[in-house]
Amino acid sequence: MTSSLEPGRPPVQIRPDLWLFPPNRDCRGGSSWWLDVDPEPVLIDCPPLSEASLEALRQLAQGRCARILLTSRESHGRLRSLQQRMQWPVLVQEQEAYLLPGVEQLETFSEETVTRSGLRLLWTPGPTPGHAVVHAPLPVNVLFCGRLLVPVAKDQLAPLQHRRTFHWPRQQHSLRQLCRWLPSEAAPALASGAGLGALRGGHLAPFNSWNQQANAAFDTV
């Protein structure tokens, strides 16, 4: 089933438990992440559908059934083809499930949910109607923020309004809600689902760099 696919490039290991896939041109150059947690590892957003991606996913899963988590409609890519090959369940916020007809083992959630491995998902509409973020609590301590926060400079993410933004006031509200939703002691590293070029070779951004940007944005609301 992979003979007609591009060879592609494998993901890069960022930490012992975290891998970053190459930019996916089917997702406007977006980023996809693999998080190795037990008992159910997760693939967050759709990587490029290539031989290298499929081989890496098989090796990373090590025989386990992983779950595919989607943060927004801009991260679907060639999900249907990927899911047919891997046979892994997919979780998406309910407002964007209609965009995935024919996808097997498709599960939805409304406002919040928790995976088998303790990852927490929160509905954060704004970038798209069914946008969501994924928080991996300590000891992982990473917030996969999809397109809610995008790279703007080295070690810095920020909320940005552009022509594809679904609803800017809702996005600002989602950011305020996210601050309340995260545990008070949490200061997770930030993993964006957008293109990472502005990070100038970086991968994760520190939480406090976004906090400054977020506070400035909230002051204008």
Side-chain angles (χ1 to χ4, degrees):
M1 295 181 70
T2 63
S3 59
S4 62
L5 298 179
E6 296 180 0
R9 293 183 289 120
V12 176
Q13 187 169 8
I14 308 302
R15 303 186 338 187
D17 56 356
L18 186 63
W19 284 256
L20 171 65
F21 282 84
N24 188 351
R25 64 173 178 264
D26 296 317
C27 299
R28 300 182 181 272
S31 301
S32 175
W33 303 82
W34 173 272
L35 181 62
D36 193 350
V37 285
D38 284 323
E40 181 186 69
V42 292
L43 174 64
I44 301 171
D45 295 330
C46 191
L49 187 63
S50 67
E51 293 182 2
S53 290
L54 294 176
E55 179 60 25
L57 290 171
R58 294 187 185 101
Q59 292 183 5
L60 290 169
Q62 298 179 340
R64 295 169 294 177
C65 180
R67 183 177 297 270
I68 303 172
L69 310 179
L70 298 176
T71 61
S72 81
R73 65 188 180 193
E74 294 197 333
S75 66
H76 293 181
R78 298 170 66 185
L79 173 73
R80 188 175 298 101
S81 295
L82 177 70
Q83 200 270 345
Q84 288 173 348
R85 288 168 167 84
M86 304 307 298
Q87 295 296 303
W88 291 342
V90 178
L91 179 62
V92 64
Q93 204 279 335
E94 61 186 10
Q95 294 200 37
E96 297 186 359
Y98 78 94
L99 297 169
L100 300 169
V103 172
E104 299 178 358
Q105 303 182 71
L106 181 65
E107 302 176 17
T108 65
F109 73 99
S110 176
E111 295 186 2
E112 298 183 41
T113 192
V114 181
T115 73
R116 290 179 59 205
S117 297
L119 307 184
R120 305 166 63 229
L121 282 79
L122 175 70
W123 177 38
T124 52
T128 68
H131 190 280
V133 299
V134 183
H135 179 224
L138 289 167
V140 178
N141 204 29
V142 176
L143 177 68
F144 299 91
C145 49
R147 311 281 177 130
L148 191 69
L149 297 166
V150 302
V152 294
K154 185 174 175 60
D155 293 332
Q156 192 171 91
L157 304 185
L160 291 181
Q161 183 179 19
H162 50 75
R163 62 182 179 82
R164 299 189 309 278
T165 300
F166 162 65
H167 200 288
W168 181 239
R170 287 192 182 184
Q171 183 163 341
Q172 293 174 312
H173 175 76
S174 291
L175 285 163
R176 292 193 294 271
Q177 183 182 13
L178 175 60
C179 288
R180 294 191 294 267
W181 178 74
L182 287 170
S184 58
E185 71 279 6
L190 302 175
S192 178
L196 304 183
L199 294 180
R200 300 176 187 174
H203 304 109
L204 299 172
F207 182 74
N208 60 3
S209 68
W210 162 61
N211 241 6
Q212 297 167 9
Q213 292 287 330
N215 291 337
F218 297 159
D219 290 342
T220 66
V221 177

